[in-house]
Amino acid sequence: MHINLIFPPSWIPSQPFLSLPSLTAFLRKEGIRVTQRDLNIEFLEVVLTKKKGEEFLSMIRDKLNTQSLAPEKFDVLREVADLLPLSFDFIEDAKTTFRTEDFYDVDKYIESLITIDKYMKLAGALFYPSSISAYDNTMRYSVYSSKEIMAAIQDKEENIFLNIFKQHFLPSILDSKPDVVGISITSTSQIIPGLTLARLIKEREKDIYVTVGGSVFTKLIDNLLKVDTFFSFVDSFVAFEGEHALLELANQLSGKKDLKMVPNLIYRENGVTRVNEPFFIEDVNTLPTPDYEGLPLSLYHSPERVLPVQTSRGCYWGKCTFCNLHHDHRYFRPKKTELVLRDINTLKERHATGYFFFADECIPIKSLTLLSKALLESGADIKWIGGVRFEEGITLEVLKDIKASGCQKLVFGLESFSQRVLDLMCKGTKRETIKRVLNNCLETGVSVHLYSIVGFPTETVQEAFETSNFVLSNERLVSSPGFSFLPCLYEMEIHSPITCNPGDFGLRRIMVPKSEDLSLGYFYEVERGMSPQEAEELHAQILQKVNETISPFPYNYSMADGLLYLVHSS
């Protein structure tokens, strides 16, 4: 049995994502042959070349000379035909910058980001009105509509991934002769690329079993019971965690083919969509160290490998009314400290790196304290970044140990500095605790990243400014090394607690457009507080002020890049 696991575009190119290495490690331990591929970084490696740019330019000129184009598209392509060649001599140098010491020259870093961004926009104009960047893509098709997704994955004129997948990736995938292809879709930017690939594989080799996993379709279980469109080229979806699901799928496909035995599987049988429940929850203390072997680690846009690891799965707090992350992993499960240390030491030796990103939803302070002491006692000598909550237990003494263990930065969900809004969010956070923890971070030299939310239901303009002013007026914090701050516009997400009792949050009603049968959120009308439109306008205003005060590069652009910058500058 050969399983080919694939991570599709679009994603930040700084580091690998943890899903495939986690699955690969488990399956290889069980004797399954696994090939894992990060097509996100492989895609960029193909596109960010002079050769591919010249191909795009040739195709643009052909369109201008041979096709009857809409006036708007004609004007766009005519301008691009003049501008695109100007980037050919710079694009590969820009890519190389991220893999060399030039990465640490912030001017060269920013210049390279801008060069790649401009090139991607110009090259992507061939598929106008679609657009693409190094970490995202947009089409006129909604990723929340099965009908529009089906149109998008077959649109030769506007789907940038279609021909590139056919030309550069489909042949090697098929040549490896996989029995199963598993595609991990963890963000909405991966939906159309991922399903485009699934359809291409199934069209060429019907006997290859195609399954799709990841957090996006985990949130859409109820929708998949009503929408059978994708089952014409996707054999199944895996909800929640995939280790034991993929193992049992491999066993059943090799034997009795009784899919009812495969945990967490969503599939069609006799014209009916079935969901295998109860859902299987992994014991994190039995899982092996993530296995990155086979991923093209030298291709990431980074001079050093920054590898994701986890100390737990799920969120130990799980009460925030705006959040649906608790849905993805269902229960909080911490990993034993000695096993986290095993993972770190194994990966450090295997990949010659001392840089790690703890990819937990948030790490409990007790776990972080134990891990910090274990790292110090073992002499692991690593540099790391991780997410935590504003907890009373983050004392000056705890932060000193955390810093000594190699912590360069902590990521906090501030969300708001209005106590009323914090209480409505069920954050369990007090303003006094926030101020004390931030001061302790400054005292110990632990850098800080803050997220906030603009436009939470009932929030007023004054309360939103209270939050941004609290941050931006703190000159000591703003000027501290590596500090970053990202205000995010509130979006009402499916499965978030707020949707169960909208009236408690000043909402008149919540709604989903009829055409969006795969919606991951809701539109809403308010009784009080800012309307969604007012919140959007205010968010843009606050974000502009933040970017004028704090450079977004490198710390707001990529946490992994920021980690390396902090270490390099210390």
Side-chain angles (χ1 to χ4, degrees):
M1 175 63 63
H2 177 204
I3 297 180
N4 196 329
L5 298 177
I6 295 174
F7 189 75
S10 297
W11 196 260
I12 293 286
S14 301
Q15 65 185 96
F17 193 73
L18 187 57
S19 59
L20 265 56
S22 297
L23 295 170
T24 296
F26 178 81
L27 293 171
R28 285 176 175 168
K29 180 185 176 185
E30 297 296 325
I32 303 294
R33 180 187 168 202
V34 180
T35 301
Q36 56 178 335
R37 294 185 65 174
D38 185 344
L39 290 197
N40 176 58
I41 198 65
E42 290 188 45
F43 174 82
L44 288 176
E45 188 65 12
V46 167
V47 172
L48 297 176
T49 61
K50 181 178 181 179
K51 179 180 178 182
K52 182 56 67 173
E54 289 173 340
E55 289 180 24
F56 285 146
L57 179 60
S58 177
M59 295 168 72
I60 287 170
R61 287 171 173 167
D62 284 346
K63 282 183 180 292
L64 288 169
N65 294 330
T66 63
Q67 294 186 22
S68 177
L69 303 173
E72 183 178 4
K73 184 166 186 175
F74 180 86
D75 291 341
V76 168
L77 293 185
R78 184 174 58 182
E79 182 179 10
V80 167
D82 294 331
L83 295 176
L84 183 56
L86 302 179
S87 64
F88 289 165
D89 292 333
F90 302 100
I91 189 59
E92 297 195 41
D93 286 343
K95 185 173 60 176
T96 301
T97 292
F98 293 109
R99 299 170 181 161
T100 66
E101 286 297 305
D102 285 343
F103 170 92
Y104 297 109
D105 183 323
V106 71
D107 292 331
K108 291 181 179 179
Y109 177 95
I110 294 173
E111 181 182 354
S112 295
L113 284 176
I114 293 172
T115 298
I116 289 174
D117 187 58
K118 287 182 177 179
Y119 169 84
M120 294 288 282
K121 287 180 179 178
L122 291 169
L126 173 63
F127 304 91
Y128 182 87
S130 301
S131 64
I132 190 166
S133 71
Y135 55 88
D136 199 5
N137 64 85
T138 57
M139 298 181 70
R140 62 184 175 90
Y141 299 102
S142 171
V143 296
Y144 306 116
S145 162
S146 61
K147 181 179 179 180
E148 293 200 31
I149 291 172
M150 288 299 293
I153 65 177
Q154 301 174 78
D155 191 332
K156 297 178 181 178
E157 291 295 312
E158 297 182 20
N159 186 338
I160 189 172
F161 303 99
L162 194 55
N163 284 331
I164 293 179
F165 283 177
K166 278 184 179 180
Q167 182 181 353
H168 294 278
F169 305 126
L170 186 62
S172 58
I173 291 171
L174 298 179
D175 287 347
S176 70
K177 300 189 182 305
D179 300 290
V180 177
V181 170
I183 301 173
S184 177
I185 296 179
T186 61
S187 73
T188 54
S189 62
Q190 295 176 299
I191 292 175
I192 289 175
L195 294 181
T196 296
L197 181 63
R199 179 175 171 272
L200 288 173
I201 292 170
K202 207 66 177 176
E203 279 183 340
R204 285 285 302 274
E205 293 289 346
K206 292 183 179 180
D207 291 338
I208 294 177
Y209 188 97
V210 176
T211 189
V212 172
S215 59
V216 167
F217 288 101
T218 291
K219 294 180 175 74
L220 293 172
I221 296 171
D222 293 339
N223 305 67
L224 289 173
L225 289 171
K226 303 172 186 176
V227 178
D228 61 5
T229 308
F230 301 144
F231 288 102
S232 61
F233 58 92
V234 174
D235 293 292
S236 66
F237 294 84
V238 174
F240 300 102
E241 296 163 292
E243 283 91 347
H244 276 85
L246 285 175
L247 175 61
E248 188 56 35
L249 179 62
N251 292 337
Q252 291 300 326
L253 293 177
S254 299
K256 297 180 180 179
K257 295 182 172 59
D258 183 1
L259 296 184
K260 293 192 296 294
M261 302 301 294
V262 181
N264 302 1
L265 201 70
I266 306 170
Y267 61 104
R268 296 280 289 178
E269 185 178 68
N270 299 324
V272 177
T273 302
R274 303 190 183 280
V275 181
N276 290 346
E277 299 183 76
F279 296 116
F280 187 86
I281 306 298
E282 299 289 343
D283 179 353
V284 296
N285 289 308
T286 64
L287 299 178
T289 299
D291 190 344
Y292 291 89
E293 296 291 340
L295 291 179
L297 297 181
S298 64
L299 297 185
Y300 290 95
H301 293 189
S302 173
E304 301 281 353
R305 304 289 74 78
V306 179
L307 298 182
V309 291
Q310 281 183 316
T311 74
S312 64
R313 286 189 181 178
C315 177
Y316 75 93
W317 180 250
K319 300 176 185 178
C320 298
T321 54
F322 58 82
C323 183
N324 64 5
L325 290 177
H326 64 279
H327 178 79
D328 292 357
H329 292 300
R330 297 175 72 80
Y331 303 108
F332 174 70
R333 288 145 291 152
K335 184 181 285 190
K336 294 177 180 177
T337 301
E338 59 266 30
L339 296 178
V340 179
L341 196 61
R342 174 206 66 186
D343 293 347
I344 290 169
N345 287 329
T346 299
L347 293 172
K348 181 182 178 183
E349 181 178 354
R350 187 180 292 167
H351 299 292
T353 184
Y355 300 97
F356 292 93
F357 184 98
F358 290 119
D360 304 54
E361 306 298 352
C362 54
I363 308 174
I365 298 308
K366 180 180 179 180
S367 298
L368 199 54
T369 301
L370 291 173
L371 178 59
S372 298
K373 291 184 183 298
L375 288 169
L376 286 168
E377 290 171 2
S378 69
D381 190 22
I382 66 167
K383 308 299 181 184
W384 59 270
I385 184 172
V388 294
R389 285 172 38 80
F390 282 107
E391 296 278 15
E392 288 288 340
I394 306 182
T395 63
L396 196 62
E397 290 71 25
V398 166
L399 279 168
K400 287 178 180 177
D401 283 345
I402 290 173
K403 175 67 174 178
S405 74
C407 176
Q408 303 299 299
K409 190 169 188 173
L410 291 175
V411 180
F412 295 90
L414 169 66
E415 320 311 0
S416 176
F417 196 63
S418 161
Q419 193 62 58
R420 184 193 72 81
V421 175
L422 287 170
D423 292 343
L424 192 61
M425 290 176 170
C426 291
K427 283 291 293 183
T429 304
K430 299 299 182 184
R431 285 163 45 116
E432 294 74 18
T433 302
I434 292 170
K435 289 189 287 188
R436 181 180 56 77
V437 170
L438 290 176
N439 284 333
N440 287 344
C441 287
L442 291 170
E443 287 295 320
T444 54
V446 174
S447 185
V448 168
H449 176 86
L450 298 176
Y451 286 108
S452 71
I453 294 174
V454 177
F456 186 75
T458 76
E459 183 181 52
T460 65
V461 172
Q462 291 75 17
E463 286 170 327
F465 276 125
E466 183 179 9
T467 301
S468 61
N469 289 339
F470 163 71
V471 177
L472 298 180
S473 64
N474 188 335
E475 293 185 12
R476 187 181 175 207
L477 179 66
V478 169
S479 62
S480 63
F483 175 72
S484 49
F485 172 41
L486 185 60
C488 302
L489 178 65
Y490 172 73
E491 295 180 350
M492 187 178 294
E493 298 179 326
I494 190 172
H495 303 304
S496 58
I498 194 173
T499 61
C500 299
N501 300 291
D504 295 345
F505 298 87
L507 299 173
R508 182 179 297 115
R509 62 172 179 156
I510 60 176
M511 54 214 134
V512 178
K514 291 182 179 179
S515 61
E516 293 192 349
D517 53 0
L518 296 174
S519 177
L520 288 165
Y522 300 94
F523 293 121
Y524 60 93
E525 295 177 353
V526 302
E527 293 281 1
R528 59 186 186 276
M530 289 183 282
S531 69
Q533 182 178 357
E534 290 170 333
E536 185 174 359
E537 293 170 354
L538 183 61
H539 172 255
Q541 182 181 343
I542 289 175
L543 189 59
Q544 181 179 351
K545 179 64 175 177
V546 169
N547 288 336
E548 289 172 354
T549 308
I550 308 165
S551 173
F553 304 111
Y555 298 104
N556 253 9
Y557 172 72
S558 166
M559 294 291 178
D561 292 1
L563 172 61
L564 296 179
Y565 258 77
L566 277 168
V567 175
H568 188 266
S569 61
S570 62

